[in-house]
Amino acid sequence: MRILVVEDDALLGDAVQAGLQQDGHAVDWVRDGLQADHALATEAYAAVVLDLGLPGLSGLDVLQRLRQRQSTLPVLILTARDTVEDRIQGLDQGADDYLVKPFDMGELFARLRALIRRANGHATPVLCVGEVELDPAGHQVRYRGELVELASREFTVLQALMLNAGRVLSRTQLEDKLYAWGQEVESNTVEVHIHHLRRKLYPGLIETIRGVGYLIPRAKAV
């Protein structure tokens, strides 16, 4: 999934970006509030990791502007401000979660998975459609109980479609979840991933809606 990291500390920002990429995400990283506000207004993300003490525009101002645009994007505040009052203020301004530095990278990943899952209406940690099960934490996919090996971007496409089961996602929407800034997008990359998923799982799992995009129905019969 595509994540925006907003962090002005170069070492920490680089570490968070690298960790999230290793966890299978496409990551954009900006270092000031104005850049963050522009990115959030123009790009599509699954979640944002937001520092509060930023140059240009504070993290709380970025958050306020995001919510004023009626965006429901999950926001995890990642900050050194650790008082109860700071947490209350961040949550009352519209943040979905609050993590204090220093932190464990594994906890950050888990919190983001939970935010993304809940934002898409899923209560359980494992996504299930018919006999296909996807475990975001373990990066595992099973079909009829058998483990299926997927490439990282195949996993991301399947996760996006399963999170949005019953909704059509366009090729552009899927590309937005696969690629961060500066990464070259090949013209048929989504189609190739869809083809591989159908081959590795089963042909009827993903429907093509001509001229619109791709769909996994909510209750898909095999």
Side-chain angles (χ1 to χ4, degrees):
M1 307 300 282
R2 191 177 179 191
I3 307 293
L4 178 65
V5 174
V6 188
E7 174 58 62
D8 65 329
D9 183 289
L11 289 176
L12 181 57
D14 184 65
V16 171
Q17 181 183 45
L20 287 170
Q21 287 172 338
Q22 189 173 3
D23 199 46
H25 299 285
V27 184
D28 295 332
W29 170 29
V30 297
R31 304 188 186 192
D32 69 64
L34 291 173
Q35 288 180 326
D37 184 56
H38 177 73
L40 290 168
T42 58
E43 304 287 348
Y45 295 102
V48 55
V49 178
L50 180 65
D51 188 18
L52 294 182
L54 299 168
L57 197 67
S58 75
L60 287 178
D61 287 336
V62 171
L63 178 58
Q64 185 178 44
R65 291 187 181 194
L66 177 70
R67 295 309 184 217
Q68 286 174 345
R69 293 192 290 269
Q70 305 302 310
S71 172
T72 59
L73 177 70
V75 175
L76 187 153
I77 289 178
L78 184 63
T79 181
R81 301 179 187 178
D82 60 354
T83 69
V84 173
E85 290 76 13
D86 287 326
R87 294 174 188 169
I88 290 173
Q89 185 179 24
L91 294 169
D92 281 347
Q93 287 288 336
D96 299 278
D97 203 353
Y98 198 106
L99 187 58
V100 175
K101 305 171 185 175
F103 62 96
D104 180 83
M105 198 70 76
E107 182 180 2
L108 173 63
F109 298 163
R111 286 173 181 260
L112 282 174
R113 286 193 296 267
L115 290 180
I116 293 169
R117 184 175 70 239
R118 290 199 298 268
N120 288 275
H122 295 270
T124 58
V126 176
L127 304 177
C128 298
V129 175
E131 294 181 278
V132 177
E133 299 179 355
L134 184 145
D135 177 8
H139 285 269
Q140 292 184 336
V141 172
R142 294 182 182 275
Y143 175 50
R144 293 181 172 174
E146 297 293 325
L147 192 64
V148 179
E149 294 292 335
L150 298 182
S152 176
R153 284 177 175 162
E154 293 169 2
F155 185 94
T156 299
V157 170
L158 181 62
Q159 182 181 9
L161 289 168
M162 290 181 71
L163 279 169
N164 293 276
R167 294 175 50 202
V168 179
L169 295 183
S170 69
R171 184 176 74 176
T172 299
Q173 286 175 311
L174 290 170
E175 287 173 346
D176 284 342
K177 299 177 188 303
L178 289 170
Y179 295 98
W181 293 328
Q183 293 181 318
E184 184 178 355
V185 181
E186 297 180 11
S187 60
N188 66 338
T189 185
V190 169
E191 288 82 357
V192 169
H193 294 322
I194 295 291
H195 171 75
H196 289 166
L197 288 170
R198 286 169 172 160
R199 177 173 55 83
K200 291 180 179 182
L201 295 165
Y202 61 93
L205 173 65
I206 302 169
E207 297 183 2
T208 299
I209 310 300
R210 290 196 177 276
V212 183
Y214 299 94
L215 164 72
I216 290 181
R218 287 188 181 277
K220 184 66 180 180
V222 181

